Amino acid sequence: GIQVEQSPPDLILQEGANSTLRCNFSDSVNNLQWFHQNPWGQLINLFYIPSGTKQNGRLSATTVATERYSLLYISSSQTTDSGVYFCAVSNYGGSQGNLIFGKGTKLSVKP
Amino acid sequence: ETGVTQTPRHLVMGMTNKKSLKCEQHLGHNAMYWYKQSAKKPLELMFVYNFKEQTENNSVPSRFSPECPNSSHLFLHLHTLQPEDSALYLCASSQTSASGGSSSYNEQFFGPGTRLTVL
């Protein structure tokens, strides 16, 4: 099945810093989502981005489907950005309803 | 608020108990999912329902029994669980579109989860 690798596994930032999170996947995908999991476990949708670039406030994401990776950019980080960021994909070859999750990047933003 | 609700939010049960988790979506979607998040494993799919029909069972033990009475409600019935089943159980929903005899699954939205502890 498709493999999803996220890097880095852990990231510590000072408030106001910028960061880039990476997601590599091993096969072509028809769905790619970025999530932020808050300390209470809620998965919050950030982007639905199987290809192209999107921006939402301080966050933006780019997926280069032909090279099988996606990047999540966080600018001017805030303490409320802390939590775990997940990349998840599904592809035509497998069960399309099955989102395959990476292990996540744990972000800690210090004041 | 994602439009997907789950109850209860926390559940503690013994290995001989029978309990049920409930999920409801208010987004008009036609596909619903159960995922499990354990402390030492990535989030993994358990079941998929598309138009109330189960389309995926990801080799889940029979002590977990899903039920989908309609497109808005999804249950997970639990019985004779083991301590290693303690985890965060997440429900999700999405809209599917049919094309050429197959379904295309779109963006998934998740509920807040039920944190289950099995003693």
Side-chain angles (χ1 to χ4, degrees):
Chain A
I2 192 167
Q3 305 294 315
V4 181
E5 292 184 2
Q6 290 187 244
S7 59
D10 295 279
L11 184 59
I12 299 174
L13 297 175
Q14 205 64 35
E15 198 169 28
N18 303 328
S19 62
T20 300
L21 282 58
R22 187 177 180 101
C23 173
N24 292 332
F25 42 94
S26 60
D27 204 347
S28 56
V29 299
N30 64 321
N31 181 2
L32 189 147
Q33 294 186 238
W34 282 100
F35 297 93
H36 176 211
Q37 188 168 40
N38 66 21
W40 297 273
Q42 172 80 61
L43 280 173
I44 299 163
N45 288 44
L46 298 178
F47 294 102
Y48 172 71
I49 186 166
S51 64
T53 297
K54 291 186 178 180
Q55 180 156 8
N56 184 3
R58 296 182 295 104
L59 302 182
S60 63
T62 295
T63 297
V64 183
T66 53
E67 297 188 21
R68 300 181 184 169
Y69 72 88
S70 183
L71 301 174
L72 178 68
Y73 305 97
I74 304 174
S75 64
S76 305
S77 58
Q78 300 175 359
T79 55
T80 51
D81 294 332
S82 296
V84 183
Y85 289 79
F86 288 103
C87 169
V89 305
S90 65
N91 68 351
Y92 292 105
S95 167
Q96 294 187 49
N98 187 2
L99 273 181
I100 307 296
F101 281 77
K103 293 183 178 180
T105 291
K106 184 177 181 181
L107 174 65
S108 300
V109 181
K110 306 297 183 185
Chain B
E1 179 63 48
T2 63
V4 182
T5 59
Q6 290 186 243
T7 55
R9 295 294 306 275
H10 299 271
L11 178 62
V12 179
M13 59 186 289
M15 290 190 286
T16 58
N17 292 157
K18 291 184 180 180
K19 297 286 184 183
S20 295
L21 310 185
K22 179 183 176 182
C23 175
E24 184 174 358
Q25 59 95 1
H26 310 272
L27 300 169
H29 290 162
N30 51 23
M32 297 187 75
Y33 314 77
W34 281 116
Y35 286 85
K36 176 183 177 182
Q37 186 177 32
S38 306
K40 299 181 179 180
K41 286 186 174 182
L43 255 152
E44 55 184 353
L45 180 75
M46 298 176 74
F47 301 104
V48 180
Y49 278 83
N50 186 10
F51 291 98
K52 302 187 299 178
E53 298 296 321
Q54 189 180 122
T55 57
E56 184 84 14
N57 176 338
N58 204 20
S59 303
V60 180
S62 59
R63 58 185 182 270
F64 295 91
S65 175
E67 178 190 0
C68 188
N70 54 61
S71 294
S72 299
H73 294 85
L74 184 65
F75 296 89
L76 188 62
H77 303 300
L78 316 171
H79 62 97
T80 59
L81 294 191
Q82 305 297 313
E84 58 263 32
D85 296 321
S86 298
L88 180 68
Y89 289 84
L90 291 159
C91 172
S93 73
S94 73
Q95 185 64 27
T96 64
S97 51
S99 174
S102 63
S103 293
S104 175
Y105 295 75
N106 300 308
E107 185 178 9
Q108 294 186 24
F109 294 85
F110 283 76
T114 295
R115 194 164 295 279
L116 173 67
T117 302
V118 182
L119 302 177

